[in-house]
Amino acid sequence: TKVRKYWDIKNNPSMQDKYLFKIEVKLIRKQLGPGKILDAGCGEGEGTLAYSKIKGVIIEGIDYSKTRLQMAKRICPHVKFQQIDLLKKYKLDKYNYIISQRFLINLKNWAQQRKVIRDLIALLKPNGKLILLEGSKQGSIELNEFRKKLNLEPIPIRWHNQFIDDNNLLKEGFNLIDGLGGYFLLTRGIRPYFDKKLDWNCNFNRLASKINMDIKYSRLKLWIYEKNKRGK
């Protein structure tokens, strides 16, 4: 309830770093093709809008925040949105692709995250993909260890987020596909050492978004579950 109230406040942004957001979208788009897509925890619909432009897709968005859905409907009037809490009873279709982009981290523990993951897998069509772009405990620790070497304070995980242990996703049958480690290392590690001023839109971040990414130091990681390979 506390987390839902947070997201029902219109002025609370889901991602202030728009260069990071663009990288997220680019990584996820590589995994998508024609078919039916569910954007689970779609928020204000920025990602939904980007994915809706892929040729041959039909996309739906769901979120439990009425405020976020109102925002999403304004920028994606052509998309079907529903207010759904995935921890409660609901009815949804079957999908070729399901996207969770920083959605699962808003659940309070791994037990809830695992339940939602398994329920989403059940909604996949044969050969379908569940695509997770979620916070990584290991990546957060690695980045903070680097910052410590530069005498920088650790970056805390926000109160309403529960980053996921990479090992838990491996046990559930996910494959680790990619990360954004280079961007995190440069913008959250190197730049703060030389410039304490926080500026997500600075030219340094723009240039950092152009480099190749990696897994290490990445607070966000891209995971894929392919239903056809698991025999489920």
Side-chain angles (χ1 to χ4, degrees), residues 22-182:
K22 288 178 182 178
I23 300 171
E24 292 178 12
V25 169
K26 184 178 180 180
L27 289 181
I28 292 172
R29 282 190 62 141
K30 289 180 181 178
Q31 301 298 323
L32 301 173
K36 194 165 187 178
I37 300 174
L38 176 68
D39 190 0
C42 63
E44 50 264 49
E46 289 182 292
T48 317
L49 178 61
Y51 310 131
S52 72
K53 295 178 180 179
I54 299 172
K55 187 176 181 180
V57 308
I58 300 171
I59 190 165
E60 298 176 6
I62 61 171
D63 203 282
Y64 70 173
S65 168
K66 184 177 179 180
T67 301
R68 298 289 142 178
L69 288 172
Q70 289 171 344
M71 297 165 71
K73 289 175 182 177
R74 280 198 289 270
I75 68 169
C76 304
H78 57 294
V79 173
K80 177 184 176 183
F81 290 101
Q82 296 185 69
Q83 186 175 10
I84 288 179
D85 184 340
L86 289 174
L87 291 173
K88 299 179 180 179
K89 288 188 68 174
Y90 60 87
K91 186 175 181 180
L92 286 166
D93 203 350
K94 297 284 186 176
Y95 302 90
N96 302 101
Y97 304 95
I98 300 177
I99 301 166
S100 173
Q101 186 174 356
R102 288 177 285 102
F103 153 60
L104 291 172
I105 56 174
N106 290 286
L107 302 177
K108 70 179 183 178
N109 53 45
W110 169 241
Q112 288 188 352
Q113 292 168 338
R114 181 174 56 190
K115 178 189 184 305
V116 171
I117 284 171
R118 292 179 177 180
D119 289 346
L120 291 177
I121 288 172
L123 296 176
L124 288 174
K125 292 182 179 182
N127 302 320
K129 287 183 180 181
L130 175 55
I131 302 165
L132 307 184
L133 196 292
E134 296 287 351
S136 164
K137 284 185 178 179
Q138 283 84 346
S140 178
I141 291 170
E142 288 169 351
L143 182 60
N144 281 334
E145 286 176 347
F146 179 84
R147 286 173 61 90
K148 185 178 180 180
K149 293 176 183 178
L150 301 181
N151 294 317
L152 296 171
E153 292 294 320
I155 300 174
I157 295 173
R158 301 181 73 186
W159 68 267
H160 56 84
N161 287 161
Q162 281 290 335
F163 279 20
I164 301 175
D165 188 322
D166 292 358
N167 295 311
N168 286 336
L169 292 177
L170 290 170
K171 290 175 184 176
E172 292 297 311
F174 283 85
N175 291 314
L176 178 55
I177 303 300
D178 214 335
L180 306 93

Side-chain angles (χ1 to χ4, degrees), residues 197-210:
K197 181 182 178 183
L198 182 63
D199 181 5
W200 298 123
N201 297 315
C202 65
N203 197 46
F204 183 94
N205 286 21
R206 180 185 66 81
L207 294 172
S209 71
K210 306 294 184 182

